[in-house]
């Protein structure tokens, strides 16, 4: 057999990566909020009630039957809708004791769904073209991702790239830094990421190519597979050399946090709310690093200090 034929046979024999959305990824709070606005459940100029806008509705046959492609398309539309309706979203504003933005220059809101998921929405204005921000957000190199999102992401790997705008990612989040939680509560997630003209949308998937991490590669850290119901970015141009970047995330911690007793305890003690606020603060700081990097790139600076 010729060398060309051998290469062709090897390429043909290589299995294609498999994936499907997790059941939780087909159902997220962002879709509920978009549905609330579209159906007119909110009053003009007022935020919808939590029971109508943010609360998770019971699973229905429609959502169970929804295809993965439909789910991705719906989340993309809902993401843009949410970014355009920041003020209407019924979450807690991330502010300091004086009522100003807790992280200067970043508007952020956070909440906890009835299912105990952490939900956050944040926006920042950046003095760079839309394309610059989109390219940097889509830059999958671990060094770039961990430099910008270092307080949240421990490692980042592109497992497979189907097309230049569709890839599978494995993300390990930075473990908690305090107490026993540092060794028992680290989360990782496997997602399908899609890039569009002004949005990037990620959802948790099940794939044989990213099995749960059992800690064998690092005995000090045990990872629990979290559910990224949705993680998305919207980059809207606000001028020829400026844009607005919005991030929305709905994340289920899973593990022990799925237990109803834990959910009730965290709700009563306010621990879930504090965790959501802490995560929103970290995300806001990451957005500031993103702005620093984008504006440096727009100026032609090769060395980005963040």
């Amino acid at each position: 057999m010729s060398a060309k034929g051998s290469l062709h046979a090897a390429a043909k024999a290589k299995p294609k990566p498999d994936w499907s959305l997790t059941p939780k990824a087909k159902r997220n709070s962002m879709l509920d909020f978009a549905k609330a606005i579209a159906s007119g459940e909110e009053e003009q100029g007022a935020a919808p009630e939590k029971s109508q806008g943010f609360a998770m509705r019971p699973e229905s046959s429609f959502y169970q039957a929804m295809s993965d492609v439909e789910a991705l398309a719906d989340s993309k539309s809902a993401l843009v809708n949410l970014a355009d309706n920041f003020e209407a979203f019924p979450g807690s504003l991330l502010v300091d004791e004086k009522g100003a933005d807790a992280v200067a220059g970043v508007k952020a809101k956070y909440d906890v769904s009835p299912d105990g998921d952490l939900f956050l929405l944040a926006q920042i204005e950046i003095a760079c073209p839309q394309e610059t921000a989109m390219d940097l957000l889509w830059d999958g190199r671990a060094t770039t991702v961990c430099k910008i999102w270092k307080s949240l992401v421990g490692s980042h790997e592109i497992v497979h790239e189907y097309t230049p705008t569709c890839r599978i990612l494995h993300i390990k989040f930075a473990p908690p830094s305090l107490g026993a939680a540092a060794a028992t509560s680290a989360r990782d997630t496997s997602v399908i990421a899609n890039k569009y003209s002004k949005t990037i949308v990620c959802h948790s998937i099940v794939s044989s190519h990213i099995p749960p991490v059992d800690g064998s590669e690092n005995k000090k850290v045990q990872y629990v597979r979290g559910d990224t119901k949705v993680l998305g970015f919207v980059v809207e141009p606000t001028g020829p050399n400026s844009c607005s970047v919005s991030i929305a995330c709905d994340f289920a911690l899973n593990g022990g946090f799925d237990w109803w007793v834990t959910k009730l305890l965290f709700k009563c003690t306010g621990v879930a709310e504090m965790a959501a606020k802490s995560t929103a603060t970290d995300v806001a700081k990451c957005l500031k690093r993103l702005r620093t990097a984008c504006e440096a790139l727009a100026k032609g600076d090769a060395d980005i200090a963040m």
Side-chain angles (χ1 to χ4, degrees), residues 144-154 173-174 286 289 306:
T144 302
V145 175
C146 293
K147 196 171 186 179
I148 294 175
W149 306 94
K150 58 186 176 183
S151 53
L152 294 170
V153 178
F173 295 104
C286 291
R289 286 194 287 272
M306 292 174 282

Side-chain angles (χ1 to χ4, degrees), residues 6-31:
S6 298
L7 288 173
H8 179 70
K12 208 174 173 187
K14 188 177 180 180
K16 292 183 178 180
D18 63 289
W19 67 272
S20 61
L21 291 181
T22 63
K24 288 184 178 181
K26 289 189 180 183
R27 190 86 176 119
N28 59 67
S29 302
M30 191 172 69
L31 288 170

Side-chain angles (χ1 to χ4, degrees), residues 109-273:
K109 286 186 175 183
Y110 60 92
D111 213 329
V112 180
S113 80
D115 277 350
D117 304 336
L118 304 184
F119 192 95
L120 62 91
L121 173 65
Q123 295 181 330
I124 190 171
E125 300 293 326
I126 301 180
C128 77
Q130 177 194 36
E131 296 77 14
T132 301
M134 283 293 290
D135 288 346
L136 190 56
L137 286 169
W138 191 245
D139 187 336
R141 291 174 297 177
T143 51
T144 302
V145 175
C146 293
K147 196 171 186 179
I148 294 175
W149 306 94
K150 58 186 176 183
S151 53
L152 294 170
V153 178
S155 71
H156 177 278
E157 177 190 1
I158 299 176
V159 177
H160 184 76
E161 193 161 82
Y162 288 101
T163 70
T165 59
C166 180
R167 58 179 58 150
I168 288 179
L169 307 174
H170 184 202
I171 303 169
K172 293 180 185 175
F173 295 104
S177 57
L178 299 175
T184 61
S185 296
R187 259 59 184 172
D188 76 330
T189 189
S190 55
V191 301
I192 184 80
N194 287 277
K195 178 187 178 186
Y196 305 97
S197 60
K198 65 176 183 179
T199 60
I200 294 173
V201 188
C202 306
H203 291 79
S204 270
I205 59 172
V206 176
S207 174
S208 62
H209 297 273
I210 314 178
V213 181
D214 62 6
S216 58
E217 63 186 55
N218 183 349
K219 293 296 184 181
K220 294 182 179 179
V221 180
Q222 296 290 328
Y223 285 92
V224 174
R225 181 60 50 89
D227 246 308
T228 303
K229 291 187 173 183
V230 65
L231 168 62
F233 297 91
V234 178
V235 184
E236 293 277 9
T238 55
N241 294 299
S242 61
C243 63
S244 170
V245 176
S246 301
I247 177 175
C249 181
D250 188 355
F251 189 79
L253 293 166
N254 293 341
F257 294 93
D258 271 347
W259 193 29
W260 70 270
V261 174
T262 306
K263 292 180 182 180
L264 181 62
L265 178 63
F266 278 14
K267 181 179 180 181
C268 293
T269 59
V271 171
E273 193 82 5

